[in-house]
Amino acid sequence: MRRIETLVFGIYPKSEKLRIRIGRWERHLISTSDLENEIRQETEQVESQWAESGLTHWAAPLFNWYDIFRPFSTMVSGIRLGPLTRYLETNTFYRIPVLDGPIALKTDPGMFAEGEEGLPLPLYQSRSEWAFLPGLMTFQSMSEISGAVNEEFIERMLTVYRQIIEKTGKKKLFLFEVSDPGKFDYSLYRQIMKPSDTVLFFSKSPGKDNLSSISERFYSLIDASGSSSDLVADHSMLKGIALLDAHSTRVESRDLILEKVENTGEDTLLTSNDYLDFLPRVIADRKVSVLGGCSNVR
């Protein structure tokens, strides 16, 4: 039997109860410590549901993240928040990071702290061993700076990411890349986590040059672009397949998913084509239940 593992990543839709509590906190009607407790409770509840569903891994739910960049304005010097900007081609928005000084970690991401225009730390409330971080090409291209790779930014953020892993005690890493890989050398991520404990997610296919300088296999490379190239599979221990549609309310069929996996004839890691915060919570819950039911490794 082929190995089938499943993974949920990124920001998960908040319950209506938690959204109301966040609104009350934003109006200074409840304390930050009370909100942090609410986030922790909802995280524990959701993770229990995921475990019961059979889900193998999760780098989520990140209920204390407004968007995939905003926590870093609290933790990292040299980053401030710019205006609201549309996130890719969706109907959601993020505060654009403005890079305006030397980059360095200034706040312990594993400790409780008030947010600066963001929700409270610690960065990860989850008991999962996985850390979720935006890919550095994505971070750079969706910030105020753009164009060619800024080597100093990349170097300093690699240090920040390594410190985040050390201080939060995470053992595995999920990197979320939605920009063009350009000429980025993904072997640089070895400075943060060994490839066998790292998943790289791409919404746009990497090229041979992006991976040519690394001989080890990653835990999984997930190419959500729909490309039929074998490049990512050749560099993966488990073939990453994005079969849940994070932008559609249609709930997928477990039987059809398993049929597609069987046709690949390879050990696989199943996930979605984006994080699930674009969906109503009830739909996201149903999709994750289907995904968990596809696991044969728990």
Side-chain angles (χ1 to χ4, degrees):
M1 179 182 294
R2 293 296 181 182
R3 183 184 186 91
I4 303 174
E5 298 184 14
T6 52
L7 180 147
V8 169
F9 62 87
I11 305 173
Y12 198 69
K14 301 168 181 64
S15 69
E16 187 60 27
K17 176 184 175 183
L18 182 56
R19 291 184 184 278
I20 290 171
R21 297 294 281 178
I22 290 172
R24 289 176 59 81
W25 172 77
E26 290 171 334
R27 299 192 302 275
H28 307 289
L29 299 176
I30 63 172
S31 69
T32 302
S33 60
D34 285 343
L35 177 62
E36 194 263 352
N37 187 54
E38 293 275 351
I39 291 170
R40 187 178 300 279
Q41 289 182 18
E42 179 146 328
T43 299
E44 291 174 352
Q45 177 186 11
V46 167
E47 290 186 321
S48 293
Q49 293 173 353
W50 289 349
E52 291 174 4
S53 77
L55 199 66
T56 314
H57 310 285
W58 53 87
L62 307 182
F63 288 134
N64 61 326
W65 292 38
Y66 279 125
D67 60 56
I68 62 172
F69 305 114
R70 202 178 305 191
F72 299 93
S73 63
T74 292
M75 300 185 305
V76 179
S77 61
I79 299 176
R80 61 180 175 86
L81 294 175
L84 281 173
T85 305
R86 185 178 298 277
Y87 174 75
L88 303 178
E89 298 178 2
T90 71
N91 291 323
T92 61
F93 295 82
Y94 72 101
R95 292 285 297 277
I96 187 168
V98 178
L99 310 179
D100 63 356
I103 300 293
L105 189 68
K106 64 180 182 180
T107 302
D108 188 336
M111 302 295 290
F112 172 77
E114 299 272 354
E116 297 175 10
E117 298 190 71
L119 295 166
L121 300 177
L123 185 62
Y124 305 117
Q125 296 277 11
S126 172
R127 65 174 183 260
S128 166
E129 62 185 354
W130 289 87
F132 172 94
L133 291 169
L136 291 181
M137 283 296 292
T138 295
F139 207 131
Q140 179 183 263
S141 67
M142 296 179 72
S143 298
E144 191 169 276
I145 62 170
S146 61
V149 173
N150 183 313
E151 293 183 0
E152 181 180 359
F153 169 75
I154 297 296
E155 181 180 343
R156 288 180 177 270
M157 283 300 292
L158 284 169
T159 298
V160 167
Y161 276 14
R162 185 168 60 250
Q163 292 172 329
I164 288 172
I165 295 299
E166 292 169 353
K167 292 180 180 295
T168 58
K170 297 300 183 181
K171 304 300 182 184
K172 296 184 179 181
L173 177 61
F174 185 101
L175 287 157
F176 182 66
E177 200 76 270
V178 293
S179 69
D180 191 316
K183 296 182 179 180
F184 189 75
D185 179 1
Y186 286 97
S187 70
L188 291 172
Y189 286 135
R190 286 182 296 192
Q191 298 179 37
I192 309 171
M193 185 75 69
K194 60 184 180 180
S196 59
D197 289 328
T198 301
V199 170
L200 296 181
F201 175 98
F202 301 97
S203 66
K204 298 181 180 180
S205 299
K208 290 182 179 180
D209 291 344
N210 299 118
L211 302 167
S212 61
S213 63
I214 187 164
S215 58
E216 308 103 307
R217 288 193 172 195
F218 288 89
Y219 195 86
S220 185
L221 301 184
I222 302 161
D223 184 350
S225 70
S227 170
S228 59
S229 170
D230 291 330
L231 178 65
V232 293
D234 292 342
H235 286 82
S236 302
M237 296 165 59
L238 299 177
K239 182 176 182 177
I241 307 178
L243 288 179
L244 289 189
D245 189 344
H247 302 283
S248 170
T249 56
R250 180 184 61 83
V251 178
E252 288 78 4
S253 161
R254 174 180 178 272
D255 290 342
L256 289 178
I257 290 175
L258 291 177
E259 182 179 332
K260 291 179 181 178
V261 173
E262 183 66 26
N263 289 339
T264 69
E266 298 182 58
D267 294 339
T268 57
L269 178 67
L270 301 180
T271 189
S272 52
N273 62 358
D274 207 335
Y275 57 89
L276 299 176
D277 195 36
F278 311 97
L279 298 170
R281 173 65 172 270
V282 64
I283 299 298
D285 285 346
R286 290 172 62 190
K287 284 178 177 274
V288 172
S289 180
V290 169
L291 186 66
C294 296
S295 305
N296 60 21
V297 176
R298 306 187 180 190

